[in-house]
Amino acid sequence: MNLILKKIIFERWPLCCLLFLIVACNAKSPDDKIIFSTKDSIAETQKISAAIDSVYLKERLINSGDLIVRTGRDFASETFRKLSVKDKTYSHCGIASIEHDSVFVYNAIGGEWNPNQKLRRDPFEIFCNPIENRGFGIFRYQISSKEKTSLINIIQSLFAKGILFDMQFDLSSNDKMYCSEFVYKAIEQATGNKIKLPTTTFNHIQFITIDDLFINPACMEIQRFVFSK
């Protein structure tokens, strides 16, 4: 198992155990019992290992400039999924960049997992890790090599500037961006607006949903993968 993912499991495990104990201690019926066996533990370990292996298999399919989307397991992710209109599968997104034979995903995210609110550059195996995600998808825009180079330069420049997450979800501002806005503006700028992505309107407010990014003629699906339901 990858050392980075081992670190995730190690850090999250004590918290999961604590939450389990709290729930168990507050169970309504004292007769309810949950019994864990060695077999259950082995099965869960094998399930996680298979999911991790799949991450590395999919990593080989990725090109720089690809759109990477994921489905988080937390409450906030479930909420963001519902904002999409046509395809509510995914909750977060970013753009892939292959650097020194490693795949990184540049993405804008806020909340407790990103205290400084700045644009992130996450290793692919962290961005799509099966401990915190139900699955992920790989999509590719129909852009030239020159446009792809421009796209990578743009996202790396925004990362260097430390662009903050836009808690107001204001599409008109450029000093702060939310996840799908970051991808939307980077793609349009890199292609000189040749690729014009669709938008969604909520209560007269223009918004970029996750599915706006990949449900359009300029974007093709490479592959989707589900770790668990």
Side-chain angles (χ1 to χ4, degrees):
M1 186 184 297
N2 183 270
L3 291 177
I4 298 179
L5 289 176
K6 281 185 177 180
K7 183 174 183 292
I8 293 174
I9 297 173
F10 178 78
E11 291 177 346
R12 299 286 189 269
W13 183 251
L15 177 59
C16 293
C17 290
L18 177 59
L19 291 174
F20 171 75
L21 289 174
I22 292 173
V23 173
C25 291
N26 287 280
K28 292 183 178 180
S29 172
D31 296 326
D32 293 338
K33 294 181 179 179
I34 300 177
I35 300 175
F36 293 100
S37 67
T38 302
K39 183 178 180 180
D40 293 327
S41 178
I42 292 175
E44 185 62 22
T45 299
Q46 291 175 338
K47 180 179 178 181
I48 293 174
S49 295
I52 291 172
D53 289 341
S54 72
V55 169
Y56 288 104
L57 176 63
K58 303 306 176 187
E59 184 176 6
R60 300 173 188 172
L61 300 175
I62 297 174
N63 290 342
S64 287
D66 284 354
L67 169 68
I68 308 297
V69 288
R70 73 184 187 195
T71 306
R73 297 179 183 273
D74 57 289
F75 175 77
S77 296
E78 290 299 316
T79 301
F80 280 116
R81 285 176 60 194
K82 294 176 183 178
L83 293 177
S84 292
V85 178
K86 297 179 180 179
D87 188 330
K88 300 179 184 293
T89 303
Y90 302 109
S91 58
H92 189 47
C93 61
I95 297 176
S97 175
I98 300 177
E99 302 168 12
H100 304 293
D101 296 324
S102 296
V103 179
F104 294 93
V105 182
Y106 289 76
N107 63 104
I109 190 170
E112 60 179 330
W113 301 117
N114 189 26
N116 67 14
Q117 306 293 298
K118 292 183 179 181
L119 193 69
R120 292 177 60 94
R121 172 181 176 270
D122 294 320
F124 173 75
E125 62 267 30
I126 293 295
F127 185 83
C128 296
N129 80 80
I131 308 301
E132 297 172 339
N133 296 285
R134 298 181 185 279
F136 64 93
I138 305 169
F139 295 84
R140 186 166 299 155
Y141 291 103
Q142 298 177 28
I143 59 178
S144 66
S145 297
K146 182 178 179 180
E147 290 168 335
K148 184 184 297 184
T149 298
S150 176
L151 175 60
I152 299 305
N153 289 338
I154 289 169
I155 63 174
Q156 290 179 344
S157 175
L158 291 173
F159 174 73
K161 290 179 181 178
I163 293 294
L164 298 176
F165 184 78
D166 188 359
M167 296 298 294
Q168 302 301 317
F169 292 86
D170 181 6
L171 191 59
S172 65
S173 65
N174 292 319
D175 59 328
K176 297 180 180 181
M177 299 181 188
Y178 54 91
C179 66
S180 48
E181 177 187 6
F182 162 67
V183 174
Y184 170 86
K185 290 184 174 178
I187 289 294
E188 291 198 343
Q189 183 180 343
T191 62
N193 291 318
K194 182 186 76 175
I195 293 182
K196 193 71 177 177
L197 300 177
T199 62
T200 298
T201 301
F202 292 114
N203 295 324
H204 307 292
I205 298 176
Q206 193 178 29
F207 188 80
I208 306 298
T209 61
I210 302 295
D211 62 342
D212 283 331
L213 299 175
F214 61 83
I215 300 182
N216 60 79
C219 190
M220 62 181 293
E221 179 177 323
I222 302 302
Q223 196 159 355
R224 302 187 186 209
F225 189 82
V226 178
F227 296 137
S228 64
K229 297 294 184 180

